[in-house]
Amino acid sequence: MSEEFVTITVDGQELQAPKGAMLIEVTDKANIRVPRFCYHEKLAIAANCRMCLVEVEKAPKPLPACATPVMDGMVVHTRSDYARNAQKSVMEFLLINHPLDCPICDQGGECELQDVAMGYGQDVSEYVEGKRVVFDKNIGPLITTELTRCIHCTRCVRFGREIAGLRELGMTGRGENALISTFIEQSVESEMSGNVIDICPVGALTAKPSRFAARAWELVQHASIAPHDCIGSNIYVHTLRGEVIRVVPRDNEAINEVWISDRDRFSYEGLASDDRLTAPMIREDGEWVEADWDEALKRACAEIKHALDTAASDEDSEASDSSSKLAALISPSSTLEEMYLLQKLMRSLGSGSIDHRLRQSDFSDQDSAPVIPWLGQDVENLENMDAALLIGSNVRKEQPIANHRLRKAVVNNNAQISFINTREFDCNYPLAHNITAAQQQLPHELAAVAAAVFADSDDALPSYIAGAVSIAKPNETHRAIAQQLKQGKSSTVLLGSQAAMHPAYAALRALAEAIATQTNSIFGYLSEGSNSAGAWLAGAVPHRGPCNDADAVKGQSISDLSENTPAAAILFNVEPEHDIAQSRQIIRALTGASSVIAITAFRSPVLEDVASVMLPAAAFTETSGTFVNAEGVMQSFKGANNPAGEARPGWKILRVLGNLLKLDGFDYMSSDQVRDELRGMCESIELDNSITAAPQVKLPAGAGSLMRAADVPIYATDALVRRASSLQKTHDAVVLAVSMNPADAERLGLDEETGSVSVKQGESSAILKLIIDAGVPAGSAWIPMAVKGSELLGDPFGEVVIEKV
Amino acid sequence: MSIEEFISSITASANNQPGHLLQYLYEIQYQYAHISQQAIKLLAEKLSLTESHIHGVIGFYSFLHDSPRGAYDVLISDSITDHMLGSRSLLDALCKKLGVVPGVPREDGRVTVDTTSCTGLCDQGPAMLVNGWAVTRLDENRIDNIAELIESATAVDQWPNEFFRVEDNIQRRDILLSDESNDGEALRSLIDQGEDAMLEQIESSGLRGRGGAGFNTGMKWRFCKQTEADQRYVVCNADEGEPGTFKDRILLNAYADKVFEGMTVCAGVIGATKGCLYLRGEYRYLRAPLEQILQQRREAGLLGNTILGQGGFDFDIEIHMGAGAYICGEESSLIESLEGKRGIPRKRPPFPVTHGYQNRPTVVNNVETFMAAALIAVHGADWFSSVGTEQSSGTKLISISGDCEKPGIYEYPFGVSIQDILKDCAAKDTQAVQIAGAAGFTIPPAEFERCIAFEDVSTGGSFMVFKQDRDLLDMVKNFAHFFVHESCGFCTPCRVGSSLMKDLVDKVHSGHAGQYDLDEMQNIGQLMRSTSHCGLGTTAPNPVLDTLEKFPQIYEKHLKHSSYEPAFDLDAALQDARDITGRDDAGAHLGTKS
């Protein structure tokens, strides 16, 4: 498949170019700058701005470089008087209706129109007639429109259609009355919408949260890594006098290309929330008082020591194990260094009870889990798929960039993508199949696919799933999914973060892996938080040390804590009521512990209830560190600004705790040193998701009549994003409610008019708004977790009783 | 019938194809006098389109409206020839009688009076459309009657028939218009000769596109035939929007069978099974008769499956209505419009012959071209090429309007001189002829010996005559406004340039311009010509550039002889103040007017 090349001459320079390539692609590659407004390398060619006109010898007119395919022997001049005159005239035309309100425009200083105008223009306008004025539209809390500035390049419209799958942005009117518009106010609802701010070449679309906050040239740019999902999008954090003003994408073709999700872009607003913990605090006689670092750290150490010592004298045999006395929970979005140091601290103190799997509930197969449950492939590879099956995943909202890659696979390769989920989710591409089942039925559905996969094969079923698969009854849909995975030249089976929360996670994992192996598909995980992979690598799990160290001190998983209350606990960037699936049980255990040390960037009512010491940690952007993304790439970043108030980077707090507890090996001078120590241990690690042995899979029996199912909504994933005020005003900021299938509602005598219902889950209960939604399967009550009020209920997957109020 | 039922019934008739959106909107517009938000919502749901897409389409076509237009939507044709026949004073009279302002619906929702681009009735103007139906030969009397009919809420189908009479007005016939071959003869000839031989006939006849661009028809068909595809399409461009042309109106009224037969021959040659006639919205009255002819042809075995008993020869034609967009006469815009979108010209390559309707190879030809093709199929290439000039074989239908005694349709062999045409139509004292419409050429008397031919003066057929006492700047102004109205807004040079050009022409016209402004017009015109995306933008400055060169005197007499004059008239701006204070003494005027 050798590509055909042609030779062209541009500005006297001979260039080789693939036949059929557009001239502008070739000049861009050769670093010959042709001005442009409508052309964008990631979007379809429009050729409407006419800014990129160049002189092509023998052509009767100047030609647009973006829409002129190269031909052998073509001689092009991009800077001849002829070309420049054409470019200059077009630019003047664009300026005629442009308000030239640069002094009050946020785009000023980084405006493509301004740049080109400065290059060509005079600084005095010749034009004295009236200009066109366009009324602005309110398109939501994230983007400000100033449509008078619009130059009709249609990049935003094409972005909406081609990238975001968002079709509500369009061009209307004709001729000089043409304008960009949307017809449902607030209708720009996409998890990627903020990218239109970057692609708009002028100030027609600017960021609302940072409106008028700074001039572009005052900002200091810091390279960083986005902290919310396992993709690890590359970003720049822009600060002004130590304050984060905004976050923008940093190009990385292999990961996020030129895009970032709105969550990654706007979550920085949470940094300035009112409930930042800005000074160490200790509890004195039940009251919280500020303390200096010395005092607070001393108190923390004393409590840890006390827990380890006294418990030993109180209890019998079991209690001699430090692991049952001291436990630590760490957010899966903490840095690799924080995870490594916390587990080192714990294991040095003799306790292996550290866990980052805060929303997982089934740990039965943890010993057969891979070293790192990873994506199984590069992020980029997702767009090469021609078939995919995702289980327990709302990938669009959970990992928007991965969803964008999958969408490309659908658009470009006509990929057949199927989901097996506990409810229907909005998707911005057509799905091959979309199976929904009540949560207890989810493993049955997957077993049916497995049965279809193995049906006409002589290969033996892995023994641990044989029983489950043999009783499954595949239907047409299961068979079709199996067929698509088999036929796909590139196919993948992915377990999402809702699968990881599922009470039968082990079953889902074993079945999914077997399906993938048998269909020659890549098996992978879309894990929770920004650094689950790093957590496994760093040993922030109770059954393995760093880099799969089997000899490390072992301890209790998070689920054991609810039955076995430790004397002391360390919570690292954890808000128990939202970040933990079994929040009620864990909060009860923490309440029973004599001491809880919370290392946290934010205060929260539950932390204030259960903790005895609160140490203020630096939040994202305020610390250096490393995230390992789902494809196993380690990406380190530096701090962009100083921590709020007295807060300190987490790795430094842990280092000092190690020093104060007189532990060896806590003398790090930088976070790089921490990372390098771990990396040195991990050189021989190979990533492999395959399963060779696993506990026998049992499919869950039919449970109660109505089972809860849940996800973590996109803007509820972690403490930072939950405090990002603009994101919390969007449509995706889910409000607590219970959604039910119309059949269930009818059975219970509920309808649209009902309003609110009483939801009982075990001993908990709450009054929730009722939504009747055919996207929720029968037998299921869909109640999101990690949103305000959801802490009133229990497990995300328990049995519920719903009644009229 | 509720609006839900109505929308269901019209979408069902086209299998709910989203590509037929424009057709649905057209029906809804005429049923409800506008397309309500409710209708948009219903359509969006039914067709899985977004509301913004539907709004975008409505906003693009000037006959579609998302706010109520009144029970009677009166559109007076605003072509320069209508002006010359007094349309402007008739518009004022009608507005006054009905108590409305142009473009604004009357408060009781009864009526809107507005203007529209040339309606293709220039030979029997002034003309207007009422709810899409053409009314000809307006005069004071007829305007009075119309105002009364509207006030008395008389349904349009109860209006006197003579209002709606459109005459063919054929003044000169040549080989096309005098043809007496029978229906189906071209198809029999195709079947007898085979498609390859037929294609050779078309090629050797030298037939070139009659829309004005003159691309070789046989070559177009061959390119299309040679492109691998599972489906090919034949599209007849009957979006005759060039001001001053009306030949398609006559061909579709009196020779529709020949046109359809030409399309069918093309389909047989290139291997297409589906065809479309894209009929401009102004010719709404032709639709029903055309549908009837299509039905007759189906019944006669000349259309549909197994044409003339020939196994595998399947072809059918659908009529698509345009809705008031001049740009849709451009073939790629027309295809976009056929697909139910905004008529934005596509970029090329690829060309429609390889990637056209539904991205399949598509032949788009003019009405007259298809008719000529049908007759070449009957009479042979030599019969055709023996007429005309070497590079322009055959004949051309010329639509004559303006200052002459005998306006109408004239068929001439190519090569006829402008002078001869002027003599035939009894034009006297001619100052200029505008050929090929607003985007065409302004020909001064010194050039009247020039010929109508692709190698000399090429035209789609518009021929407007201006006598000596006309102010040609009125024409330039009319065309400048026309292009602002019709620019699609896609590319910068045309969107911005047309509007700047209009402002400058207005400035000259109102006596405020200086030499500087003329130079600016020259610059803007050159820029539009060389940098616009499509033919509309590149030809829009033609009337200005042509007249600046050939008729400088029409500008000079309007000029203020200073190098720079602001468009802003200080004294005129004080008019409001004078009105309020009731003053008109010398002290209330600025000394700008002598």
Side-chain angles (χ1 to χ4, degrees):
Chain A
M1 289 230 314
S2 67
E3 239 179 317
E4 233 182 295
F5 277 82
V6 296
T7 306
I8 64 168
T9 311
V10 182
D11 298 344
Q13 193 180 338
E14 245 184 41
L15 298 173
Q16 295 282 311
K19 197 179 168 186
M22 293 300 159
L23 192 49
I24 205 165
E25 296 167 9
V26 181
T27 52
D28 274 0
K29 221 177 205 171
N31 245 338
I32 298 168
R33 181 77 193 161
V34 179
R36 83 288 305 270
F37 295 117
C38 70
Y39 175 77
H40 188 284
E41 53 167 350
K42 295 285 178 191
L43 303 174
I45 291 164
N48 60 13
C49 77
R50 317 305 279 184
M51 190 63 222
C52 65
L53 292 170
V54 295
E55 177 182 1
V56 177
E57 286 187 10
K58 294 187 186 127
K61 302 193 290 186
L63 297 180
C66 71
T68 304
V70 291
M71 297 210 272
D72 205 22
M74 201 181 234
V75 181
V76 182
H77 304 281
T78 69
R79 283 144 200 249
S80 60
D81 285 348
Y82 182 76
R84 273 178 200 261
N85 271 337
Q87 293 162 6
K88 184 175 176 220
S89 309
V90 170
M91 194 223 40
E92 283 177 357
F93 268 19
L94 287 171
L95 287 180
I96 274 167
N97 278 319
H98 194 74
L100 301 181
D101 58 345
C102 311
I104 56 152
C105 175
D106 268 349
Q107 194 85 355
E110 53 182 6
C111 171
E112 295 175 46
L113 184 63
Q114 199 179 32
D115 291 347
V116 176
M118 291 301 285
Y120 287 102
Q122 304 153 340
D123 52 3
V124 177
S125 173
E126 290 175 4
Y127 188 74
V128 293
E129 338 297 78
K131 298 196 179 212
R132 160 184 167 277
V133 173
V134 183
F135 288 103
D136 297 322
K137 285 255 177 185
N138 180 4
I139 59 170
L142 304 179
I143 301 164
T144 302
T145 66
E146 197 73 61
L147 292 174
T148 301
R149 296 180 186 143
C150 173
I151 58 169
H152 302 86
C153 73
T154 69
R155 278 186 191 173
C156 56
V157 177
R158 283 175 283 147
F159 171 82
R161 283 198 197 132
E162 296 161 21
I163 308 293
L166 168 94
R167 303 181 304 159
E168 278 301 346
L169 213 51
M171 178 79 92
T172 176
R174 190 165 86 183
E176 58 175 355
N177 297 318
L179 55 102
I180 302 292
S181 199
T182 156
F183 286 90
I184 304 166
E185 294 279 294
Q186 306 260 328
S187 77
V188 179
E189 279 158 13
S190 155
E191 61 292 339
M192 303 269 282
S193 69
N195 292 297
V196 297
I197 297 163
D198 302 330
I199 59 169
C200 179
V202 295
L205 302 171
T206 54
K208 205 173 253 184
S210 57
R211 194 174 191 212
F212 302 146
R215 306 303 316 202
W217 57 87
E218 301 174 309
L219 297 171
V220 184
Q221 173 162 292
H222 311 265
S224 193
I225 303 297
H228 300 292
D229 64 38
C230 63
I231 300 305
S233 290
N234 289 200
I235 56 173
Y236 282 120
V237 176
H238 286 169
T239 62
L240 174 68
R241 293 186 282 276
E243 189 195 339
V244 178
I245 300 296
R246 64 178 184 183
V247 169
V248 297
R250 178 158 58 96
D251 294 7
N252 185 337
E253 274 306 301
I255 296 179
N256 51 304
E257 302 168 75
V258 302
W259 318 116
I260 54 172
S261 66
D262 288 356
R263 184 169 58 188
D264 292 344
R265 185 185 297 268
F266 294 113
S267 68
Y268 73 86
E269 278 196 290
L271 293 171
S273 83
D274 294 338
D275 56 359
R276 273 304 293 270
L277 181 65
T278 53
M281 299 192 82
I282 53 179
R283 197 199 280 273
E284 296 281 6
D285 304 325
E287 293 293 315
W288 282 104
V289 292
E290 277 192 22
D292 62 27
W293 268 106
D294 273 353
E295 193 186 352
L297 285 166
K298 265 185 210 143
R299 170 77 82 89
C301 289
E303 288 187 2
I304 292 170
K305 276 192 209 143
H306 180 75
L308 290 169
D309 296 344
T310 56
S313 60
D314 279 2
E315 307 251 345
D316 306 326
S317 57
E318 222 183 309
S320 60
D321 178 9
S322 300
S323 291
S324 64
K325 297 172 209 155
L326 178 65
L329 298 175
I330 184 163
S331 151
S333 294
S334 305
T335 67
L336 185 71
E337 292 78 357
E338 290 162 346
M339 289 164 163
Y340 176 70
L341 287 182
L342 183 58
Q343 71 80 34
K344 188 172 178 180
L345 184 89
M346 294 294 291
R347 291 201 161 102
S348 301
L349 292 168
S351 169
S353 298
I354 174 164
D355 218 337
H356 76 283
R357 300 167 297 176
L358 309 182
R359 289 178 181 141
Q360 189 171 327
S361 57
D362 178 8
F363 298 91
S364 59
D365 70 339
Q366 64 177 9
D367 290 321
S368 54
V371 179
I372 299 179
W374 73 301
L375 191 59
Q377 58 205 312
D378 298 343
V379 173
E380 198 174 1
N381 195 46
L382 291 176
E383 70 184 61
N384 302 326
M385 291 299 130
D386 37 30
L389 171 64
L390 286 88
I391 303 122
S393 173
N394 182 8
V395 62
R396 179 178 179 189
K397 299 295 176 186
E398 287 164 358
Q399 294 88 13
I401 295 292
N403 184 64
H404 166 59
R405 298 279 191 179
L406 288 170
R407 182 168 190 276
K408 276 166 107 176
V410 173
V411 173
N412 301 334
N413 321 344
N414 194 23
Q416 304 292 307
I417 296 187
S418 303
F419 283 94
I420 301 181
N421 272 332
T422 49
R423 69 162 298 166
E424 275 177 22
F425 294 109
D426 280 341
C427 195
N428 54 3
Y429 42 84
L431 294 177
H433 300 285
N434 193 9
I435 298 179
T436 57
Q439 57 103 338
Q440 69 277 14
Q441 288 301 318
L442 204 62
H444 296 263
E445 294 291 338
L446 196 55
V449 176
V453 165
F454 283 92
D456 42 9
S457 152
D458 299 334
D459 298 335
L461 280 162
S463 59
Y464 48 86
I465 60 166
V469 172
S470 64
I471 56 166
K473 294 187 180 58
N475 62 22
E476 278 315 306
T477 309
H478 303 118
R479 277 190 280 272
I481 293 174
Q483 199 58 26
Q484 281 154 4
L485 289 173
K486 276 187 194 167
Q487 283 170 349
K489 278 197 228 54
S490 306
S491 54
T492 190
V493 176
L494 298 173
L495 275 183
S497 30
Q498 289 167 44
M501 284 166 47
H502 196 276
Y505 179 39
L508 296 177
R509 190 210 303 264
L511 290 164
E513 195 270 348
I515 291 169
T517 308
Q518 186 66 18
T519 57
N520 208 12
S521 305
I522 298 169
F523 176 51
Y525 297 84
L526 286 162
S527 48
E528 248 218 310
S530 58
N531 204 16
S532 281
W536 283 89
L537 197 66
V541 283
H543 60 298
R544 288 175 191 165
C547 302
N548 204 25
D549 179 7
D551 300 330
V553 182
K554 295 189 177 54
Q556 313 187 68
S557 73
I558 183 169
S559 67
D560 302 330
L561 296 184
S562 51
E563 287 127 43
N564 186 4
T565 303
I570 301 174
L571 298 179
F572 196 100
N573 274 336
V574 173
E575 288 193 283
E577 68 273 40
H578 293 315
D579 291 333
I580 296 175
Q582 270 84 19
S583 58
R584 288 184 75 85
Q585 293 92 312
I586 299 298
I587 291 170
R588 196 185 304 120
L590 292 171
T591 312
S594 59
S595 128
V596 172
I597 294 145
I599 303 173
T600 177
F602 301 100
R603 306 169 65 143
S604 85
V606 171
L607 278 184
E608 291 183 13
D609 266 0
V610 300
S612 46
V613 180
M614 291 195 291
L615 303 176
F620 164 68
T621 78
E622 299 169 352
T623 180
S624 59
T626 303
F627 292 141
V628 183
N629 76 356
E631 65 174 73
V633 174
M634 258 191 201
Q635 302 189 99
S636 296
F637 49 89
K638 299 257 176 272
N641 58 337
N642 288 327
E646 290 291 304
R648 291 292 175 265
W651 70 270
K652 286 189 179 173
I653 298 173
L654 292 167
R655 181 194 62 184
V656 176
L657 277 176
N659 297 148
L660 293 174
L661 289 164
K662 302 201 165 48
L663 303 173
D664 286 340
F666 278 85
D667 303 320
Y668 306 98
M669 298 302 292
S670 69
S671 63
D672 291 355
Q673 235 181 331
V674 183
R675 179 201 61 207
D676 292 345
E677 178 176 308
L678 174 63
R679 195 148 64 180
M681 298 159 76
C682 298
E683 267 160 8
S684 60
I685 292 277
E686 270 180 31
L687 299 184
D688 181 5
N689 279 339
S690 59
I691 299 175
T692 46
Q696 197 62 34
V697 165
K698 284 198 237 38
L699 297 181
S705 63
L706 210 50
M707 296 294 281
R708 180 177 171 191
D711 72 343
V712 182
I714 179 168
Y715 298 141
T717 45
D718 53 66
L720 183 64
V721 77
R722 285 193 291 265
R723 289 168 172 80
S725 50
S726 299
L727 290 175
Q728 295 306 331
K729 288 179 206 143
T730 63
H731 179 80
D732 273 336
V734 173
V735 180
L736 187 65
V738 54
S739 306
M740 290 172 75
N741 187 280
D744 287 327
E746 201 187 338
R747 187 166 49 81
L748 297 172
L750 308 170
D751 57 35
E752 301 283 358
E753 255 79 272
T754 306
S756 297
V757 289
S758 139
V759 180
K760 291 200 183 76
Q761 186 176 355
E763 58 207 84
S764 334
S765 68
I767 306 290
L768 301 186
K769 183 172 176 277
L770 174 72
I771 299 170
I772 295 175
D773 184 347
V776 175
S780 220
W782 180 269
I783 306 170
M785 63 174 294
V787 298
K788 195 169 182 303
S790 62
E791 69 275 10
L792 297 171
L793 293 164
D795 281 16
F797 288 106
E799 183 172 356
V800 291
V801 176
I802 293 181
E803 287 166 348
K804 276 191 182 162
V805 180
Chain B
M1 198 191 288
S2 73
I3 187 159
E4 286 91 346
E5 287 163 348
F6 180 76
I7 288 177
S8 290
S9 73
I10 55 167
T11 57
S13 66
N15 296 329
N16 290 319
Q17 292 175 66
H20 280 55
L21 175 63
L22 182 57
Q23 306 310 305
Y24 310 142
L25 294 174
Y26 181 90
E27 302 288 344
I28 296 167
Q29 172 71 41
Y30 285 121
Q31 181 75 18
Y32 296 100
H34 79 297
I35 300 150
S36 63
Q37 188 53 41
Q38 187 196 3
I40 291 168
K41 243 193 176 71
L42 288 167
L43 272 179
E45 278 165 26
K46 219 168 198 36
L47 309 175
S48 300
L49 294 170
T50 62
E51 290 180 36
S52 77
H53 177 84
I54 298 175
H55 273 284
V57 172
I58 295 171
F60 192 85
Y61 297 94
S62 54
F63 291 170
L64 304 180
H65 304 277
D66 55 12
S67 58
R69 283 292 280 185
Y72 297 84
D73 190 7
V74 176
L75 295 171
I76 310 249
S77 180
D78 204 32
S79 181
I80 182 66
T81 52
D82 293 289
H83 283 197
M84 283 154 48
L85 293 165
S87 69
R88 279 279 154 171
S89 60
L90 295 174
L91 169 74
D92 291 344
L94 184 61
C95 283
K96 205 166 156 198
K97 278 208 176 342
L98 293 169
V100 291
V101 183
V104 183
R106 203 165 80 177
E107 258 176 46
D108 62 356
R110 175 67 60 84
V111 61
T112 311
V113 179
D114 207 344
T115 56
T116 186
S117 300
C118 176
T119 50
L121 297 157
C122 326
D123 57 330
Q124 39 209 305
M128 68 172 229
L129 303 175
V130 55
N131 295 350
W133 306 110
V135 178
T136 56
R137 298 183 198 282
L138 296 177
D139 54 23
E140 275 171 39
N141 212 348
R142 200 161 269 193
I143 287 288
D144 285 350
N145 287 337
I146 288 170
E148 277 162 28
L149 290 166
I150 290 172
E151 291 295 8
S152 62
T154 309
V156 173
D157 55 14
Q158 305 295 314
W159 289 18
N161 277 338
E162 66 196 61
F163 284 21
F164 302 103
R165 201 167 68 224
V166 180
E167 281 158 16
D168 282 349
N169 214 351
I170 298 171
Q171 302 283 352
R172 186 183 193 281
R173 291 169 200 267
D174 211 296
I175 56 171
L176 290 195
L177 298 184
S178 56
D179 181 77
E180 285 177 352
S181 62
N182 294 320
D183 293 343
E185 225 173 303
L187 297 179
R188 278 184 204 96
S189 164
L190 167 68
I191 291 164
D192 293 346
Q193 296 185 44
E195 57 253 31
D196 291 328
M198 180 55 69
L199 181 54
E200 274 163 33
Q201 287 279 333
I202 302 289
E203 279 177 325
S204 63
S205 73
L207 174 62
R208 294 169 69 174
R210 263 40 181 166
F215 192 82
N216 185 299
T217 304
M219 206 187 283
K220 191 181 254 190
W221 292 15
R222 188 173 289 282
F223 284 150
C224 184
K225 185 182 172 70
Q226 281 169 349
T227 307
E228 287 284 322
D230 57 349
Q231 176 67 269
R232 297 183 183 78
Y233 294 100
V234 177
V235 174
C236 178
N237 182 348
D239 191 43
E240 177 173 56
E242 197 58 64
T245 34
F246 43 86
K247 64 179 178 63
D248 294 352
R249 187 190 87 207
I250 283 85
L251 293 181
L252 292 172
N253 190 46
Y255 298 86
D257 258 306
K258 291 283 164 303
V259 176
F260 291 140
E261 191 137 332
M263 290 175 71
T264 315
V265 169
C266 176
V269 168
I270 67 167
T273 57
K274 284 187 186 138
C276 276
L277 176 84
Y278 187 90
L279 184 64
R280 71 185 305 224
E282 288 82 347
Y283 293 164
R284 185 182 184 192
Y285 70 96
L286 287 173
R287 185 184 187 173
L290 285 171
E291 293 281 13
Q292 210 179 334
I293 292 171
L294 285 175
Q295 193 48 40
Q296 286 162 6
R297 291 184 68 82
R298 283 182 202 112
E299 283 157 14
L302 300 172
L303 210 56
N305 288 340
T306 330
I307 291 172
L308 289 177
Q310 196 70 7
F313 190 5
D314 304 335
F315 181 67
D316 211 333
I317 297 172
E318 255 181 47
I319 297 176
H320 275 244
M321 296 306 294
Y326 167 72
I327 184 67
C328 290
E330 196 277 344
E331 61 176 356
S332 68
S333 304
L334 185 149
I335 288 169
E336 288 282 296
S337 181
L338 279 180
E339 292 178 358
K341 303 183 207 153
R342 294 161 60 82
I344 304 274
R346 294 178 178 178
K347 61 180 192 299
R348 10 162 126 225
F351 292 88
V353 277
T354 61
H355 296 77
Y357 181 58
Q358 309 285 9
N359 221 18
R360 304 297 202 292
T362 304
V363 164
V364 184
N365 274 143
N366 188 270
V367 174
E368 190 182 346
T369 314
F370 277 123
M371 171 157 176
L375 297 186
I376 292 166
V378 175
H379 304 294
D382 296 340
W383 165 82
F384 188 76
S385 59
S386 65
V387 180
T389 71
E390 195 164 324
Q391 288 175 55
S392 314
S393 52
T395 61
K396 183 77 197 86
L397 267 59
I398 306 289
S399 317
I400 299 180
S401 60
D403 296 319
C404 63
E405 279 171 28
K406 292 191 284 178
I409 287 294
Y410 291 71
E411 185 190 6
Y412 286 106
F414 271 114
V416 63
S417 75
I418 293 166
Q419 214 153 277
D420 290 346
I421 299 176
L422 286 171
K423 201 176 342 155
D424 287 353
C425 69
K428 293 191 189 77
D429 247 0
T430 304
Q431 179 189 185
V433 181
Q434 180 70 16
I435 296 186
F441 319 91
T442 316
I443 309 283
E447 298 179 18
F448 282 174
E449 76 282 5
R450 290 178 68 182
C451 299
I452 301 294
F454 292 112
E455 61 272 29
D456 192 355
V457 181
S458 168
T459 173
S462 170
F463 190 103
M464 293 189 266
V465 186
F466 295 85
K467 62 183 180 190
Q468 285 298 347
D469 56 1
R470 298 283 180 194
D471 184 351
L472 267 193
L473 200 61
D474 288 342
M475 173 197 83
V476 177
K477 181 179 166 183
N478 179 261
F479 292 165
H481 283 254
F482 169 78
F483 282 116
V484 170
H485 180 66
E486 298 295 352
S487 166
C488 78
F490 174 76
C491 77
T492 311
C494 175
R495 181 183 68 240
V496 180
S498 326
S499 150
L500 288 179
M501 193 69 109
K502 176 205 75 177
D503 290 347
L504 286 170
V505 172
D506 285 353
K507 190 174 173 186
V508 176
H509 198 265
S510 64
H512 290 92
Q515 184 58 41
Y516 174 86
D517 298 292
L518 298 191
D519 296 344
E520 270 304 288
M521 288 162 83
Q522 189 70 253
N523 291 340
I524 291 166
Q526 291 300 345
L527 184 74
M528 289 175 72
R529 184 175 274 182
S530 63
T531 66
S532 291
H533 173 69
C534 79
L536 189 153
T538 54
T539 56
N542 283 355
V544 171
L545 296 176
D546 246 19
T547 49
L548 274 174
E549 185 195 334
K550 294 173 186 165
F551 297 87
Q553 70 280 8
I554 66 169
Y555 292 88
E556 275 154 21
K557 72 175 184 207
H558 285 273
L559 280 196
K560 282 204 122 189
H561 287 279
S562 65
S563 65
Y564 175 74
E565 272 293 319
F568 186 70
D569 180 350
L570 276 175
D571 187 61
L574 285 177
Q575 192 55 47
D576 278 351
R578 281 192 292 268
D579 289 347
I580 292 165
T581 54
R583 283 179 63 184
D584 201 20
D585 55 294
H589 284 275
L590 286 166
T592 50
K593 285 208 168 156
S594 48

